[in-house]
Amino acid sequence: MVSTTTNMDKSKCVRILDGSEKMVFQSGEGFEVDSLPAGTRVIYPPPPLPGIGDIDGAIEQALDNPLGCEPLSALFQPGMKVTIVFDDLSLPLPQMQTPDLRQRIITKVLEKLAAASITDIHLIAALGLHRRMTPAELKRVLGKQIFNAFYPNQLYNYDAEDQDNNVYLGQTEKGEDVEINRRVAESNLVIYVNINLVSMDGGNKSFATGVSTYRTIRCHHNHHTLMHSRSYMDPSKSALHSSCDRMGKIIENQVKIFKIETTVNNDCSPHWLTFLRKPAWEFNQFDWLNFYANKLSTDLLPPSIKREVFNRIFAPYGLTGIHAGRTDLVHEKTLENVFKQQLIPVQGQADILIAGLPFLGPYNVNSIMNPILVVCNSLGYLFNFYRGQPLVRKGGVCIFLYPLHEDFHPIHHPSYIEFYQRVLTDTTDPKIIEQKYEAEFAHNPKYIDLYRNSYAYHGVHPFYMWYWASYGRSYVGKVIFVKPRSKRPAEIMGFDTAESIAEALEMAKDVVGANPSITNYHAPPFSICDVT
């Protein structure tokens, strides 16, 4: 096990504005600049922890000194069946500069397997109900050598709808069904390679979502469970994680697992994008010139070109920790590392939360962030970047900068289009949506075929994105999107719009009063606010 030992002073992550500062915001595929009222509290992510210098040495040390079990090589037996499962392209965000950590770790694992003359090896991308990774995406994550050696017969995407190649393991004490990939269940050893970007990731959730069927995933990705997850970033308060932990016991009773989890620092933008790497109050003249040049470019370019540019931004993350061994022991160390980088002490909630939403999410990689994903990223993910209590008070107002539009990726998100056009125009109530429509979409033969044979998210996926925002939506009093390209998405989904932050603040005062407290949360990089 290896972790960076450096701690940092996070006192500079919180600043009270005097009203004269100009603040910059990511807003979808572009940028905005504006001032905020005096007294606004700005929360900016901590600077990156230093990365571990000898990555290959750290990998070797983790594999040879695991937590709660023998070294990896000592687990090998002649003729055994080994399966390596790895996180799909939804992690990390943005995508990592190559060589990817998954490639480096799996290379070391394969070297050890070769030394033990083990040849019955499969590699599975843990998709759950996500879209399949393309050959090019698999090659980018794993490297050319691994791809050429194993694809397509021994390197492939998990298929939650392959009836012959999934197997039922049983029920938890709460009656939750556990059904997973047959190859995983029947292997003598399963090695899972994970990248933990935030505290929601990893642990037992890896198997309970990544190589599990709809029959299993619906047990924790439902309206009731997600309404009782406070928050996703605090696993001890999350009903979602409690469900995954119960499933993990069933899985680990029947499958021998060697878990490898990594954590990365906040170094999530290329060094030439200087204005994304520091707070606006620290900008020098070059940073402002850099910002305005990029703002002008994104103001002028068509959305399709902007998306292509953003999808080609790769992050120079540093490795801050790698631990291997028993899932629970490994994940405990992983959470310590994530919080060491991301956790910020914050005192008190705000009446109004303001945040720019970047063109960055787990389900629009190499794709389009459609309106439903915007809701998931704002009221689902961003709202939940807290421990203790939300940044905004109950009944408060969230103001998001994002150019709402009605663009959908026709290959990746076909069921999203029907969900948006048919379901949301009927009702936006997640409980009614779940009862009335979920089973139809989940079992729709057309969507199952597109999930299995094209590159579509499962037919039920937009439902889960809508439920993901359920608690945040019920908690706040109003949601306002600033500078939408179209007002229609907001009207369909039940939100308000404004043409400026100033207009949005005036609208918010009708809900929270004339002298509101305001907090601006800046991301990326991501941070978790420990709100007391």
Side-chain angles (χ1 to χ4, degrees), residues 4-280:
T4 184
T5 57
T6 305
N7 291 308
M8 67 173 73
D9 177 13
K10 297 180 180 178
S11 60
K12 294 182 180 180
C13 295
V14 181
R15 182 183 178 98
I16 305 300
L17 302 182
D18 62 19
S20 64
E21 303 97 331
K22 290 287 186 182
M23 299 301 298
V24 301
F25 306 87
Q26 289 200 54
S27 178
E29 308 96 333
F31 306 95
E32 298 291 339
V33 58
D34 208 338
S35 58
L36 296 173
T40 295
R41 177 178 63 183
V42 178
I43 298 175
Y44 203 89
L49 286 166
I52 294 169
D54 182 5
I55 295 176
D56 290 335
I59 295 169
E60 286 280 5
Q61 186 173 339
L63 300 182
D64 292 343
N65 298 277
L67 300 169
C69 71
E70 295 178 284
L72 178 61
S73 296
L75 301 176
F76 297 159
Q77 297 292 332
M80 73 187 313
K81 178 187 293 186
V82 176
T83 300
I84 302 170
V85 185
F86 57 94
D87 284 344
D88 72 350
L89 57 78
S90 63
L91 290 168
L93 300 169
Q95 294 183 81
M96 179 178 291
Q97 291 180 0
T98 55
D100 192 286
L101 281 174
R102 285 161 289 199
Q103 174 187 339
R104 299 180 78 150
I105 294 168
I106 292 173
T107 297
K108 291 289 185 184
V109 170
L110 291 173
E111 288 173 356
K112 292 180 181 296
L113 288 167
S117 300
I118 295 172
T119 57
D120 188 353
I121 305 165
H122 284 208
L123 291 85
I124 304 176
L127 305 181
L129 302 178
H130 299 173
R131 72 169 177 87
R132 296 191 308 140
M133 295 174 68
T134 67
E137 289 167 339
L138 287 168
K139 186 181 293 185
R140 189 180 186 283
V141 166
L142 298 179
K144 183 178 179 180
Q145 184 174 348
I146 294 174
F147 180 86
N148 290 343
F150 290 93
Y151 185 84
N153 295 325
Q154 293 170 270
L155 164 61
Y156 47 88
N157 293 292
Y158 170 63
D159 185 348
E161 291 290 348
D162 184 348
Q163 302 300 319
D164 293 333
N165 287 303
N166 287 294
V167 61
Y168 186 74
L169 299 186
Q171 282 189 339
T172 70
E173 64 270 27
K174 296 283 188 179
E176 298 146 318
D177 294 310
V178 181
E179 186 175 57
I180 68 170
N181 174 261
R182 182 178 295 277
R183 168 76 194 195
V184 168
E186 296 178 353
S187 290
N188 303 111
L189 178 65
V190 178
I191 302 165
Y192 195 107
V193 180
N194 159 271
I195 295 180
N196 262 78
L197 184 66
V198 293
S199 52
M200 184 190 76
D201 304 328
N204 287 306
K205 182 173 174 286
S206 298
F207 283 93
T209 59
V211 288
S212 296
T213 66
Y214 168 67
R215 184 179 183 181
T216 293
I217 294 173
R218 69 180 179 177
C219 295
H220 43 68
H221 277 55
N222 58 70
H223 174 253
H224 176 80
T225 300
L226 298 179
M227 279 292 290
H228 290 82
S229 296
R230 319 280 175 81
S231 76
Y232 303 137
M233 304 303 157
D234 186 355
S236 65
K237 303 290 179 63
S238 167
L240 164 69
H241 288 85
S242 295
S243 177
C244 291
D245 287 343
R246 289 189 294 270
M247 292 179 176
K249 292 177 183 178
I250 299 288
I251 297 169
E252 292 201 329
N253 280 339
Q254 301 183 50
V255 182
K256 188 173 185 63
I257 295 171
F258 187 87
K259 192 75 185 295
I260 305 169
E261 294 193 349
T262 62
T263 54
V264 294
N265 63 13
N266 268 353
D267 201 358
C268 72
S269 58
H271 292 186
W272 57 270
L273 287 173
T274 59
F275 64 92
L276 293 181
R277 299 178 60 82
K278 62 177 73 172

Side-chain angles (χ1 to χ4, degrees), residues 269-330:
S269 58
H271 292 186
W272 57 270
L273 287 173
T274 59
F275 64 92
L276 293 181
R277 299 178 60 82
K278 62 177 73 172
W281 55 81
E282 294 182 2
F283 282 13
N284 56 34
Q285 188 174 14
F286 175 79
D287 298 327
W288 281 113
L289 288 171
N290 194 355
F291 167 75
Y292 278 110
N294 279 274
K295 175 171 169 48
L296 178 62
S297 299
T298 53
D299 286 346
L300 295 175
L301 289 171
S304 60
I305 301 299
K306 290 190 286 187
R307 290 166 189 153
E308 184 69 21
V309 171
F310 275 89
N311 279 321
R312 292 181 179 275
I313 292 177
F314 303 113
Y317 298 109
L319 175 70
T320 59
I322 176 168
H323 297 85
R326 210 175 76 192
T327 300
D328 56 343
L329 299 178
V330 168

Side-chain angles (χ1 to χ4, degrees), residues 14 84 239 331 340 381 394 419 467:
V14 181
I84 302 170
H331 197 56
K340 185 188 298 183
Y381 285 112
K394 188 169 180 59
F419 183 89
Y467 307 158

Side-chain angles (χ1 to χ4, degrees), residues 426-491:
D426 176 36
T427 178
T428 58
D429 186 312
K431 191 171 184 179
I432 295 174
I433 287 172
E434 183 178 58
Q435 294 170 346
K436 187 174 180 180
Y437 291 106
E438 180 182 312
E440 174 196 339
F441 277 66
H443 301 297
N444 185 311
K446 177 182 73 173
Y447 293 140
I448 290 174
D449 178 66
L450 292 173
Y451 162 80
R452 297 193 68 193
N453 299 308
S454 181
Y455 294 97
Y457 284 83
H458 195 278
V460 80
H461 203 260
F463 290 78
Y464 294 163
M465 300 303 96
W466 196 253
Y467 307 158
W468 209 255
S470 293
Y471 179 61
R473 187 180 183 122
S474 69
Y475 180 93
V476 300
K478 185 185 283 290
V479 178
I480 305 168
F481 282 92
V482 175
K483 291 190 176 181
R485 273 174 36 206
S486 168
K487 292 185 178 181
R488 188 167 181 268
E491 293 168 354

